Amino acid sequence: MRKGLCCERWTLSLVFLWASLMHFALGQIRYSIPEELPKGSIVGNIANDLGIELKRLVSGRARVFTSDGSEYVGLDREKGQLLVKQRMDREQLCGEISACSLSFEVILENPMELYSITIDIQDVNDNSPVFSKNEIDQEISESALPGARFSLGGAIDPDVGLNTLQKYVLQPTDHFDLNVQSSSDGNKNVEMVLKTPLDRENKEHHFLTLTAVDGGSPQRSGTVKIHISVLDHNDNAPAFNQAVYKSSVLENSAIGTLVTTVRATDADEGVNAHIQYYFEHVPTSVMALFAIDTESGQIKVAGPIDYEKNKQFKIKVVAKDNGGLTDSREVIIDVTDVNDNVPKITVMSFTSALPENAALGTVVAMMNVQDLDSGDNGKVTCSIDRNSPFKIVRSLASYYNLVTDSALDREQISEYNITVSVLDGGTPPLSSKETMKVKISDINDNAPQFELETYDIYVLENNSPSLSIYSVKAKDADWGPNARISYFLEDGTLNGASVESFISINSDSGVIYATKAFDYEQMKSFIIKIKAQDGGTPPLSTNATLKIFVQDQNDNTPQVLYPVQTGGSVVAEIVPRSADIGYLVTKVVAVDVDSGQNAWLSYKLQKAADRALFEVGAQNGEIRTVRQVTDKDAVKQKLTVIVEDNGQPSRSATVTVNVAVADSFPEVLSEFTDFTQDKDYNNNLTFFLVLALIVVSILFIFSVIAIISVKIYRWRQRKLFYKSANNLPVIPYYPTMYSDGTLHQAYNYEVCGTTDSRMSDVKPMRPYSQSTLVSLSRAGTVQRHLKEQEAGDISPEQKPPNNDWRLPPNQRPGPSGAGPLPEGAGVVAGTGPWPNPPTEAEQLQALMAGANAVSEATATMGPRYNAQYVPDYRQNVYIPGSTATLTANPQQPPQQALPPPQAMPPTDAPKAAQTPASKKKSTKKDKK
């Protein structure tokens, strides 16, 4: 394999157990890898070896499970490979056991599958033989004879097979030889045998080297130095009294517990017979558990002993006298198991939600149960409550499956708390428990159920459409969407129309509505079917029958069948004057299409006189005479019969019966020749005429109100305009004149003024010449004459006025107190602001002067009045609220109004000479 991996594959075997467990698969495979592989090395590809698709590993959430929780091997789901996650040391995992393997399981879900994987860990020569000491001190008496044996203790090599210790080499060999013997357990006992006698006087110390060599490749070795001190004469070596010492000890024994006692004897006497006991070449882990008394040879417990870790100990004990002579024996200590481990339950896979339609034998949980004890102490029994629909099935040696044993019903029990109990066979027994909560998920296995199979519904006729007439309810034992119920009408027809045109049902609430008004006379009852359907997949439904009975209302007027009412001819019943009391004149026949009390009819006369000749039967409608006919009785009799039903409220109809009291037909004919029929006016036509009259009247009233409102609005607008115009200041301005005080041309300006002075506008018009002036006696005005000429020869541009029109500054009119300009004044006094506001007398004087000027201009075709009283309305216009001046002279730039001028010296205004025209004008004014 890659990365130098040498892997030996075993034959794949798949064994299917328990055919009833449809969702559980079982397989085994074995791999072999060397120890000490680096992390990430590939162990094997289970996807290829077990025939599992990669997408199945991903969807089944494949994972590795080990009973002890170790994580030496991991699984790559994407590639299906087993990878080394942690370095594996065979000596640490298995110790001296040559066949070392690691077992674990690969688990897949949905459905559950379990595959057992075993990995054999092959030993590599990664350990050298090691002696317990770096140097051995040995004392040998010079009297020792050739062939005397001296134990050296062997080396320890944790490797196994060829990689473990194979041979020893001793150098030099001039006095000693090496004797290696193999014991029954495979260990080697190394002894040094004296080949030639020693002489302390010739050489007191000897130095040897013992080398231990293994059989691995490359070969590894370990050495120890041997220091031999030659002692004086001691000719007897200690000797044990048993070839092998065997004993047992309970695990978890208290420290200091006596395990066994070894004993050796020495034939020498005195100091040479004193023996001491030692452990020889014992691993450190064993030294931590046992201790030996050097004088008495008692072996006692020195640490906690665990049967699950070490089941047997082999210890080599050496007895040594003061002369340096030794003897060794092997002590075998068996550890006795005690029930000190509680069974352990490990849930490898668990399905917390199980559908209620799960098949029998469906795997709910997969568990691993382990008891580290041995024998009966390690035998476990797994069980659950017998009343639950589950059971425990054993799959492998220590694996158990929790499977369904009977049908599940969520509507009865929706959740189970399953307690798994494990009990071992020890004394006293130990147990453990694991509780798992399994929820039963709902499936749509219950159809909705109506409260009744048939519903009787009573509805009054003439109901309003969309009226709620009933409410049905269905229940579903399922849960969630499976219990969400919708209501529908079954398809069908009633009297050729679909069911939906009569009845509708709210799909959510089950409220039934009438989609139209029912008529008892047309349909007294009908049957429809409704369906309640849940929201499951597939949906389940149940039907119910609705019997709808339409109840009668008194909505029909009695109909008179006889006598037949005709508009063109007169039908009369003849009663002879000799008729007796109770004479049957005729019978009124009427029917009512309603039913029950609403169809019970009664008859009566509308107006019964005190001495009535006829009466009508209240129940049968028969008209009979109640007395004898007299001469006073009229020939023509008109009876009005009222037919009334018994409904609430009652309805009635009237019928007119004409009766002729006569003995012969000609008499009847002569009396009924001028018989007039009452005219039946069309009530509907009268109603529409009245309605039309009301509508026309309302429209007329609204029109009058609208016209009055418009008139009032316009009147208020004009009034508001005049009020605001009176508040505007009047700033007179006077035009220039010739020296004779006359104007060369007549100018007309149309001034548009608003309440806001800043929006005032001035529109100049074409000046009038003498040829264009007209007499005021004509039916028109100057402005009308101007408008008639505008379309012809008037130019849109106004020519500047002639300079001859301008008056000298001292002749320009002004208000009271105005005088000639002082020297150095920038503008003429007439264009500046008024020093004082004009008085009422001055304003009246200016108006009279203007009127005089108009009258004189009419007579002389030119002004003949004093220029002092002529305001100049054509040159400049002052805008109230501002200091700007608008001027109509294009040669004169706009002038800025000056601040109030200094007081001018008072001057007397020149008085114009009176003319005959002016005198006449004055006389007219006085008369006015």
Side-chain angles (χ1 to χ4, degrees), residues 279 282-291 302 310 313-315 333:
F279 287 149
V282 177
T284 306
S285 60
V286 177
M287 292 291 293
L289 300 178
F290 299 98
N310 302 101
F313 296 95
K314 293 181 179 180
I315 305 173
I333 303 174

Side-chain angles (χ1 to χ4, degrees), residues 354-384:
L354 193 66
E356 60 178 328
N357 63 341
L360 297 181
T362 300
V363 178
V364 180
M366 185 182 296
M367 299 169 291
N368 175 262
V369 180
Q370 284 189 341
D371 194 326
L372 299 179
D373 296 326
S374 62
D376 293 339
N377 297 332
K379 294 180 180 180
V380 296
T381 302
C382 191
S383 63
I384 61 172

Side-chain angles (χ1 to χ4, degrees), residues 537-811:
T537 304
L540 301 178
S541 62
T542 302
N543 294 336
T545 302
L546 299 182
K547 293 183 178 180
I548 300 177
F549 299 92
V550 180
Q551 293 181 329
D552 182 47
Q553 280 187 328
N554 191 24
D555 58 340
N556 291 282
T557 303
Q559 299 178 2
V560 179
L561 302 180
Y562 183 84
V564 179
Q565 300 294 304
T566 60
S569 62
V570 177
V571 178
E573 301 292 339
I574 300 175
V575 178
R577 293 184 178 274
S578 61
D580 295 330
I581 298 174
Y583 176 80
L584 178 61
V585 179
T586 186
K587 182 176 182 179
V588 178
V589 180
V591 294
D592 195 328
V593 294
D594 294 327
S595 65
Q597 294 183 357
N598 299 327
W600 294 352
L601 301 180
S602 60
Y603 303 86
K604 63 181 179 179
L605 293 174
Q606 186 177 18
K607 293 181 181 180
D610 295 338
R611 288 186 53 81
L613 181 59
F614 305 99
E615 70 175 359
V616 63
Q619 303 300 329
N620 53 19
E622 294 178 351
I623 300 176
R624 296 178 182 271
T625 59
V626 296
R627 61 179 176 83
Q628 291 290 337
V629 179
T630 63
D631 294 336
K632 295 180 180 182
D633 293 327
V635 176
K636 296 185 295 184
Q637 298 283 342
K638 184 178 181 181
L639 304 179
T640 302
V641 180
I642 299 175
V643 183
E644 186 177 19
D645 60 20
N646 197 32
Q648 293 295 331
S650 62
R651 294 177 178 269
S652 63
T654 61
V655 60
T656 302
V657 179
N658 296 316
V659 179
V661 180
D663 291 329
S664 62
F665 182 74
E667 183 180 358
V668 175
L669 184 60
S670 62
E671 292 293 335
F672 276 84
T673 301
D674 57 348
F675 190 84
T676 58
Q677 297 287 339
D678 293 337
K679 297 182 180 179
D680 185 11
Y681 293 97
N682 192 334
N683 294 330
N684 292 333
L685 180 60
T686 304
F687 170 74
F688 286 115
L689 290 176
V690 174
L691 181 62
L693 180 60
I694 294 174
V695 173
V696 171
S697 301
I698 292 174
L699 292 177
F700 175 75
I701 293 173
F702 276 109
S703 300
V704 171
I705 293 174
I707 293 173
I708 295 175
S709 299
V710 172
K711 291 293 185 180
I712 293 174
Y713 174 76
R714 291 180 178 177
W715 175 77
R716 293 188 62 184
Q717 291 294 328
R718 287 197 299 270
K719 185 176 180 181
L720 179 63
F721 174 76
Y722 289 137
K723 285 183 178 181
S724 62
N726 294 334
N727 296 328
L728 295 175
V730 178
I731 304 175
Y733 190 78
Y734 303 97
T736 57
M737 298 182 183
Y738 285 113
S739 58
D740 58 356
T742 61
L743 296 174
H744 181 66
Q745 292 180 342
Y747 290 86
N748 183 16
Y749 292 90
E750 182 180 351
V751 179
C752 300
T754 64
T755 57
D756 189 356
S757 62
R758 289 174 293 179
M759 302 197 53
S760 298
D761 186 19
V762 177
K763 182 178 179 182
M765 305 297 292
R766 177 182 176 183
Y768 289 91
S769 62
Q770 294 179 356
S771 62
T772 60
L773 292 176
V774 296
S775 176
L776 294 178
S777 62
R778 295 173 54 185
T781 59
V782 176
Q783 292 182 355
R784 176 180 177 184
H785 186 70
L786 174 63
K787 291 180 180 178
E788 293 176 352
Q789 295 181 357
E790 279 181 352
D793 55 351
I794 297 179
S795 173
E797 296 182 359
Q798 182 181 359
K799 295 181 181 181
N802 193 344
N803 293 331
D804 295 339
W805 283 81
R806 301 186 180 275
L807 298 177
N810 57 355
Q811 295 182 3

Side-chain angles (χ1 to χ4, degrees), residues 454-488:
T454 303
Y455 293 88
D456 294 336
I457 303 174
Y458 297 91
V459 184
L460 289 175
E461 66 171 334
N462 301 322
N463 58 284
S464 61
S466 71
L467 173 68
S468 173
I469 61 176
Y470 203 76
S471 178
V472 295
K473 194 71 175 178
K475 296 181 180 180
D476 196 320
D478 293 324
W479 180 81
N482 296 329
R484 187 180 298 115
I485 300 176
S486 300
Y487 302 90
F488 305 96

Side-chain angles (χ1 to χ4, degrees), residues 118-176:
T118 301
I119 298 178
D120 294 328
I121 302 175
Q122 302 298 326
D123 183 53
V124 297
N125 191 24
D126 57 342
N127 292 284
S128 299
V130 177
F131 289 95
S132 60
K133 297 180 180 180
N134 294 328
E135 185 175 351
I136 299 175
D137 293 330
Q138 185 71 39
E139 293 179 347
I140 302 176
S141 175
E142 62 178 346
S143 61
L145 298 176
R149 299 175 180 274
F150 303 94
S151 177
L152 297 179
I156 297 175
D157 191 339
D159 294 328
V160 295
L162 294 177
N163 296 326
T164 191
L165 182 63
Q166 296 296 325
K167 63 179 180 179
Y168 292 92
V169 177
L170 182 64
Q171 292 178 349
T173 58
D174 50 353
H175 290 282
F176 297 93

